[in-house]
Amino acid sequence: MLKQLFASLNALNLFAVALTIGLVVPLLVQDGMFMDAMLYTSVAHNLSEGIGSFWYPQFSYLNVSELDAFHEQPPLGFGIQAKFFSCYWEVLCTPNASTQVCVC
């Protein structure tokens, strides 16, 4: 009886993982990004090239609306994505791969 219970729990866990992968992975491997994702990717790419710092990321030298730094989002996502850009250069799936790591 206990063995059947564990077998059904393992099957249920396997189904939940497969469902999650089936719903999340197609969204992460799509080819395009929205405008805000492109902005965040640009900030992370600049951070990987040494423009700005972790606490004061920069969109460009003049920045958005001529502000000192880009503080529209918390910097941890930019830092993780910048590390991916440092390791994998400018591959198309780099922003999506860093998002997938953050989701997991």
Side-chain angles (χ1 to χ4, degrees), residues 26-77:
L27 296 174
L28 292 176
V29 295
Q30 65 185 359
D31 202 18
M33 286 189 275
F34 290 108
M35 187 175 147
D36 59 342
M38 290 299 296
L39 178 70
Y40 303 151
T41 301
S42 298
V43 171
H45 188 265
N46 288 342
L47 184 62
S48 72
E49 291 188 351
I51 301 172
S53 67
F54 180 79
W55 293 111
Y56 293 98
Q58 299 251 331
F59 172 66
S60 66
Y61 288 113
L62 293 177
N63 225 332
V64 177
S65 299
E66 297 180 8
L67 298 172
D68 292 338
F70 185 82
H71 292 295
E72 302 298 320
Q73 293 288 327
L76 183 60

